[in-house]
């Protein structure tokens, strides 16, 4: 999620827009720290300064050694410039989320900073009504968020959890749309469904730099799977490079 937020944020620097991030499981400081870690790792890897170590529970580790302090400084400068807002609200119902996004949209309009993207991490951690079954609540939530996106013309990136039965056991068989918690309800309502699968996570004997991107649903174009020979997972910065596949 962070890489998409970052890229849209960088594009918004020129247009004057903003990106809004909701995390239903982390406080705002944790979200910022995660973004900082990924930014530092990306810069350090590109500059070949230092290999980050996970010795402090977060991943910053010994980045100040061997020139890594410059990577940390550069990452802080990048984050400070990004027009990204981290919402402080957690444990929101769908109605509260919609109301919060609407307030943020209006606030941005007043300040001359239109909202370009809302990223929500993640769908199943919204607070649902106990009167509804899980698949009904998920479908209602996705529909409500989709209506909001359509009416405001703001893109929404909505992350989803994978159910236990959907966790991949074969490195060459990525999860499917039905693997998501409430997958059938999401599939009925979402405009685009993307699934990133890294074979190395399932089987450590697989190359760490390979990934699969499953376009499980796409109302605007083709669906299918980009195989591990076509795309590259570029290590610590978590970027997927599909240029090798000719897309």
């Amino acid at each position: 999620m962070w890489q998409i937020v970052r890229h849209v944020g960088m594009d918004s620097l020129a247009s004057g827009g903003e990106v809004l991030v909701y995390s239903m499981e982390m406080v705002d400081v944790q979200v910022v720290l995660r973004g900082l870690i990924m930014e530092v790792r990306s810069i350090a890897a590109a500059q070949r300064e230092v290999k980050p170590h996970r010795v402090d529970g977060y991943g910053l580790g010994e980045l100040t050694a061997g020139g890594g302090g410059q990577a940390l400084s550069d990452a802080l400068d990048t984050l400070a410039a990004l027009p990204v807002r981290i919402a402080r609200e957690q444990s929101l119902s769908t109605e509260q989320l919609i109301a919060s996004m609407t307030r943020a949209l209006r606030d941005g309009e007043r300040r001359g900073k239109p909202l370009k993207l809302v990223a929500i991490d993640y769908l199943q951690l919204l607070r649902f009504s106990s009167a509804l079954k899980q698949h009904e609540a998920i479908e209602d939530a996705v529909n409500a968020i989709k209506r909001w996106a359509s009416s405001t013309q703001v893109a929404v990136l909505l992350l989803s959890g994978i159910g236990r039965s959907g966790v991949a056991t074969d490195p060459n068989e990525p999860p499917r749309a039905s693997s998501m918690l409430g997958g059938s309800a999401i599939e009925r309502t979402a405009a685009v469904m993307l699934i990133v699968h890294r074979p190395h996570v399932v089987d450590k004997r697989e190359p760490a730099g390979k990934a699969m991107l499953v376009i499980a649903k796409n109302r605007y174009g083709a669906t299918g799977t980009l195989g591990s020979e076509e795309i590259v997972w570029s290590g610590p910065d978590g970027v997927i490079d599909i240029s090798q596949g000719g897309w």
Side-chain angles (χ1 to χ4, degrees):
M1 179 185 76
W2 174 253
Q3 286 298 325
I4 295 177
V5 167
R6 181 188 185 281
H7 287 305
V8 176
M10 293 296 287
D11 288 342
S12 297
L13 281 173
S15 64
E18 284 186 334
V19 178
L20 179 61
V21 177
Y22 289 88
S23 175
M24 301 301 160
E25 60 178 348
M26 295 185 292
V27 298
D28 52 354
V29 174
Q30 290 174 308
V31 177
V32 172
L33 184 56
R34 178 169 290 188
L36 176 61
I37 291 167
M38 295 189 70
E39 194 68 29
V40 169
R41 288 178 169 182
S42 177
I43 293 172
Q47 297 175 352
R48 301 182 183 276
E49 290 180 340
V50 60
K51 181 179 179 181
H53 302 283
R54 294 194 63 87
V55 299
D56 61 353
Y58 288 103
L60 289 176
E62 300 172 358
L63 281 170
T64 54
Q70 185 59 49
L72 180 57
S73 176
D74 292 346
L76 287 169
D77 289 342
T78 298
L79 289 188
L82 283 178
V84 176
R85 300 173 62 188
I86 312 297
R88 293 189 172 183
E89 300 100 319
Q90 287 184 294
S91 188
L92 297 175
S93 67
T94 304
E95 294 76 14
Q96 290 171 330
L97 175 64
I98 296 295
S100 177
M101 293 191 299
T102 301
R103 287 193 299 270
L105 175 67
R106 292 173 179 169
D107 177 64
E109 290 172 345
R110 284 195 299 269
R111 293 182 292 108
K113 294 184 178 294
L115 200 55
K116 298 294 186 180
L117 171 72
V118 176
I120 304 167
D121 182 17
Y122 58 94
L123 169 62
Q124 289 79 8
L125 290 182
L126 287 172
R127 186 157 44 83
F128 298 132
S129 170
S130 58
L132 297 176
K133 295 180 179 179
Q134 185 188 52
H135 72 277
E136 295 174 333
I138 287 175
E139 186 166 6
D140 283 354
V142 175
N143 270 318
I145 294 169
K146 183 179 176 181
R147 286 195 298 270
W148 184 88
S150 178
S151 65
T152 60
Q153 294 298 293
V154 175
V156 176
L157 173 65
L158 182 58
L159 273 64
S160 172
I162 296 289
R164 290 185 179 181
S165 61
V167 175
T169 56
D170 184 336
N172 296 311
E173 288 293 334
R176 303 177 181 179
S178 58
S179 303
M180 297 181 184
L181 289 167
S184 59
I186 299 172
E187 192 170 11
R188 282 194 295 272
T189 52
V192 178
M193 294 177 70
L194 302 175
I195 301 172
V196 178
H197 174 61
R198 296 175 59 201
H200 179 72
V201 175
V202 180
D203 187 342
K204 299 302 181 184
R205 294 171 296 183
E206 295 288 329
K210 296 297 182 180
M212 297 181 184
L213 179 64
V214 181
I215 307 171
K217 180 180 180 180
N218 184 7
R219 288 186 176 171
Y220 310 111
T223 59
T225 300
L226 286 173
S228 57
E229 293 79 21
E230 299 172 286
I231 61 176
V232 175
W233 179 273
S234 59
D237 56 357
V239 176
I240 293 179
D241 178 7
I242 64 173
S243 60
Q244 294 187 17
W247 284 55

